[in-house]
Each structure stands twice: as C-alpha cells, then as structure tokens.
Amino acid sequence: MGGWICCLCSRVADPLMLLLVLALGCNPSTAATASPSVPHVKPSYSFGRTFLGLDKCNACIGTSICKKFFKEEIRFDTWLSSHLKLPPSSLLSYSGNYTDDAKSWRLVDITRLTSKYQHDRADKRICTSLLKTKTCSLERALRRTQRFQKWLRAKRLTPDLVQGLPSPMLRCPSQRLLDRIVRRYAEVPDAGSIYMDHLTDRDKLRLLYTLAVNSHPILLQIFPDVEGWPFPRYLGSCGRLVVSASTRPLRDFFGVAPEVAADLALQLLAVLRSMATNDLNYFFYFTHVDPGTFGVFSNGHLFIRDASTLGIIDKEEGSQQIDGQQEYKDIFSCLTVDCQSAFLSCDSIREKHSLVMVCQDLLPKLLAGKFLPPVQERIDAFLQRCARGLGDGGGASEAMEELAEILKPLRSCDSRFAYRYPDCRYSDKY
C-alpha cells in the first residue's frame, strides 16, 4: 500500500493533492524525485532604495512606514494598473492608496519635502562644503558638524540647538514648543519625555535633518488632527517620502458653485481663527500662502495641506529668539534655501498677518463673480480693504466676523457637505 502511495506521489501535479498524499505517509526522498510544481510568481513592485531616498539615510526623514511600502500596503496609483510602473522620481507629490487589511483602501498623499532636484543639490552642497568632494557619505559629513555634535551631547532640545535653521516654525522658538517636538516625534517609540534620552544618534540626525529641510511633517506630528488641529493625518515616512491623509488642493475648487465657495471661505476663516486663538496659546502665522497651502478632504472639510510656511509664536512663554540668530549660519541653514534669506522679526508679526495674505492671494480667486451684485459688491469691497491691510477700522477678529456674516446666509445644508451633514439640519451653528 505504501509503495502504491509513493508511486502516486510521482504522478501528482496538483500541489494540494501532493500535500494530502505526503500526509498519508509518502517518503519525502521519493517525492523529491518527482517533477516539482511551478510556484506562483507574485508581480514585483520593486522601486529601490534610491526612489524612496533610503540610500541617503540617516540624512532622511524616517523609516516608520517602509514596511508598508515593501509589503505593498501602500501603492502608487500607477501600481493599480497591470504595468506596475512607478511614477517619475522628479515629481514632488504622488497620489497613493493605503490599506491595513488588504481589502479596504484609502487615498493618501505621498510627498517629498522638496523637489528631487533640490535634494540632489543640497546633497552636493553638503559634500563640497564639509568634505570638499563631489560625493561623500552624507551621514558621516553631517555628523562631523559642530551643530550635530552639540545635539549628541544635549539632554534636551533647547533654542540654541535650532538657532539659524530656516524653518519658520523655529524662528521664534519657545522651550515649551521644543519640548513638544521631542515628546511627540513620531519616528521613534513614544517615550512621552521632554528629554532626548530615548533618541539614538540616528534619530537625532533624522530629526535635525527634517527640521532643516522642511518642518511640515513635524507639525503634523506634534499637532495631530485627532486633537482637532486642522492638519491631515501623518501616517509615517520612508527615506525622503512622507505619507499623509489625502486632500485635494484648494486650487481645484476655484470654479465651484457659489454655495460651495461660501462654505470653503467660511472654513478658511475658521482655520485662521483657530490658528490665532487656541487652548494651547500658540499663535500660528503664515509666511506665504498659495492655492496649494490649503486642501479639502473628500467630505468637504478644509485643512492646511502644506504646513511648511507656518511660523509659531508662544503666547504663553513668549519667543526666545537668540541674540545673533539672524547672523548665525551653517550647512543646516542652507540645505534647501538661500543662506541670505532674511528672518522675520518675532515682534513684527500681527494678528492680521495671515488674514491679509489670504485676502490678497486666495479669497478673490475663490469668491470672485460668484454671487448676485449686492452681495458680490460687499464681498469685493471687503477683500479690497483687507488686502490693503484692513486700515485702522479694527483687528483681524472683527474683520473675519464681518466677512463671515456676509457668507453665512450663502451656504447650504445638503449631502455635498458630508463633514457637517446632517448635523447642520439640527444646529444653529450652521
């Protein structure tokens, strides 16, 4: 009987039947002589370390979400086609899909903190400035700098350690803000401590590099959306790519219906209001706005899509701008920006600062020609006055309330505004 089974082993082509036969007692050595079944080859989503920027680590952002890429639980939109081709590495952002269970997928944004051209240029600058060579180990070069050696010895992130970094977030740093960065840095296991004992040398370099290139992912980490902050959710980083919840840029909505434009403008005012007045007593201001600064989720909710131009002033502790910060420059000050870029004075920022920029660059494109003459004339007159700096007729809060009162009757309550529907039917708030 046993010989008959082993004979059958050599003829079985179906792998499942082969397993059944082996379970009945077939001799493995006999079965091994049979022709092996052809294994199922899974399509390879190979994008390499260079595309992700992993070849540049630890002069990179992090590696917290790399497993998702390699397990194909994050896919670029082009990966859903049969060709399985990656998009060009020269792009600044990509649309992607993210899953936790391989069944349900949600849209995500996959972005670079700066263009690949700027990254490559910065890498060359590091080598030529620090080691006088065209190519080098970026990590070895940056570790030799005086700034990073101070970071290695530091127990706590203090204002002198971020002195001269180009991020607007760090131009007027308070100790409370810097402690929040260390305590909530998501690329390391959460230690909940203001001290940097839980950060390895590698972690410190990645944090410093991120702050020097673009503070956008750090802001998403320390002011998360789950706590009510108007930022998309930070999902993680791999090399020099950041993954966050997907939003469509505001520029895509300049041609929408009047009631949608009114709703988005009201949300924009609410975001500016929350940035100026919040429970933590941080005052956020923009150094620049454009149609890609804000984004809209699929449910109609407006968020800050690009936080890289946000500055922060601590109203509770006050700013701790260091004497001579304007003159202090090193390689970390110049990775992606001109070393001669001037700093804004912390004392020069006013409450109306961001509102005036929005009135100049965004609201006219969103609201122009959308409404009947009497209402449109009131809106246009307000925007012209606001763009000129509001004059002496009141502060930013009064101005935002004035525009909000014009816009509130113009929005509607229906399923297009999923973020507030059907609540708007039962609340005077809307």
Side-chain angles (χ1 to χ4, degrees):
M1 180 68 178
W4 178 84
I5 293 177
C6 289
C7 179
L8 180 61
C9 278
S10 63
R11 301 177 183 177
V12 173
D14 189 336
L16 292 178
M17 182 63 74
L18 178 58
L19 289 175
L20 176 61
V21 172
L22 289 174
L24 290 174
C26 184
N27 188 335
S29 60
T30 306
T33 62
S35 301
S37 59
V38 179
H40 174 67
V41 179
K42 192 175 184 179
S44 174
Y45 300 96
S46 175
F47 38 81
R49 295 166 57 83
T50 302
F51 183 88
L52 293 171
L54 280 172
D55 58 325
K56 307 294 186 179
C57 283
N58 290 305
C60 63
I61 310 163
T63 56
S64 61
I65 209 165
C66 287
K67 287 183 179 179
K68 285 279 186 182
F69 278 103
F70 291 116
K71 290 168 64 178
E72 301 165 26
E73 293 174 348
I74 295 177
R75 298 184 178 185
F76 295 88
D77 271 355
T78 51
W79 282 11
L80 299 181
S81 70
S82 59
H83 297 86
L84 304 176
K85 290 182 179 179
L86 282 172
S89 61
S90 58
L91 298 180
L92 191 60
S93 63
Y94 312 87
S95 179
N97 298 272
Y98 176 102
T99 186
D100 287 317
D101 56 14
K103 296 178 181 177
S104 58
W105 294 81
R106 51 191 166 117
L107 290 175
V108 292
D109 289 334
I110 305 170
T111 57
R112 301 182 189 277
L113 296 191
T114 187
S115 69
K116 190 174 185 302
Y117 168 77
Q118 288 176 302
H119 267 313
D120 292 343
R121 194 171 153 197
D123 294 344
K124 290 179 181 177
R125 185 181 293 132
I126 292 170
C127 293
T128 55
S129 299
L130 300 179
L131 298 182
K132 311 302 181 186
T133 60
K134 291 184 178 180
T135 59
C136 68
S137 165
L138 300 177
E139 180 175 358
R140 188 178 304 121
L142 293 176
R143 286 177 68 92
R144 292 181 180 181
T145 61
Q146 182 180 3
R147 186 192 293 268
F148 187 65
Q149 289 301 313
K150 289 176 66 176
W151 273 62
L152 288 179
R153 295 190 298 268
K155 290 290 186 181
R156 193 174 183 182
L157 186 60
T158 51
D160 62 297
L161 295 178
V162 298
Q163 180 183 5
L165 292 183
S167 168
M169 180 181 73
L170 300 173
R171 290 180 182 176
C172 312
S174 69
Q175 188 59 58
R176 186 169 71 113
L177 176 63
L178 298 179
D179 288 344
R180 189 176 182 87
I181 291 174
V182 173
R183 197 171 61 246
R184 295 187 167 217
Y185 181 43
E187 288 298 311
V188 299
D190 182 16
S193 172
I194 62 174
Y195 297 103
M196 295 199 289
D197 297 336
H198 63 293
L199 300 184
T200 64
D201 294 357
R202 176 200 64 194
D203 299 329
K204 289 182 178 180
L205 181 57
R206 291 178 180 177
L207 176 57
L208 173 56
Y209 179 85
T210 306
L211 291 172
V213 174
N214 188 326
S215 59
H216 170 77
I218 303 299
L219 273 158
L220 269 56
Q221 294 169 42
I222 67 176
F223 298 108
D225 68 309
V226 293
E227 295 180 3
W229 298 98
F231 301 110
R233 180 166 300 181
Y234 177 80
L235 298 172
S237 299
C238 184
R240 290 181 169 178
L241 292 179
V242 177
V243 183
S244 59
S246 177
T247 59
R248 288 175 59 194
L250 187 61
R251 67 170 64 90
D252 291 354
F253 295 83
F254 286 160
V256 294
E259 60 273 19
V260 178
D263 181 81
L264 292 174
L266 281 165
Q267 289 192 70
L268 190 50
L269 294 177
V271 168
L272 294 182
R273 197 177 296 114
S274 69
M275 294 288 92
T277 305
N278 51 74
D279 293 341
L280 293 185
N281 270 332
Y282 288 115
F283 173 67
F284 297 77
Y285 64 92
F286 286 99
T287 57
H288 170 78
V289 296
D290 61 44
T293 301
F294 295 90
V296 183
F297 284 119
S298 58
N299 65 357
H301 207 170
L302 182 139
F303 275 58
I304 297 174
R305 189 172 192 257
D306 179 4
S308 63
T309 62
L310 270 179
I312 303 177
I313 294 176
D314 192 334
K315 295 194 291 185
E316 187 171 302
E317 285 191 2
S319 64
Q320 297 183 23
Q321 190 168 15
I322 301 168
D323 293 339
Q325 179 170 357
Q326 303 235 8
E327 290 74 32
Y328 184 90
K329 303 289 182 183
D330 69 353
I331 189 64
F332 290 100
S333 308
C334 315
L335 288 180
T336 57
V337 297
D338 182 359
C339 279
Q340 304 306 315
S341 298
F343 285 93
L344 285 175
S345 168
C346 302
D347 298 330
S348 68
I349 307 300
R350 298 289 178 264
E351 186 183 355
K352 63 183 180 181
H353 182 88
S354 297
L355 176 62
V356 170
M357 283 196 293
V358 167
C359 287
Q360 291 172 340
D361 300 321
L362 297 183
L363 288 178
K365 298 173 183 176
L366 184 62
L367 300 175
K370 285 290 197 322
F371 309 100
L372 295 176
V375 173
Q376 190 68 54
E377 289 168 3
R378 290 179 64 195
I379 293 174
D380 293 344
F382 172 88
L383 293 180
Q384 291 172 12
R385 177 164 55 89
C386 177
R388 291 193 297 266
L390 295 174
D392 299 323
S397 298
E398 293 80 3
M400 285 189 280
E401 188 59 34
E402 178 185 343
L403 181 58
E405 289 304 314
I406 300 173
L407 295 173
K408 282 178 182 177
L410 304 175
R411 64 180 178 176
S412 62
C413 178
D414 58 61
S415 57
R416 286 176 298 172
F417 310 100
Y419 79 95
R420 59 180 174 88
Y421 182 85
D423 294 353
C424 53
R425 289 192 177 276
Y426 310 105
S427 173
D428 295 334
K429 176 183 176 183
Y430 300 106

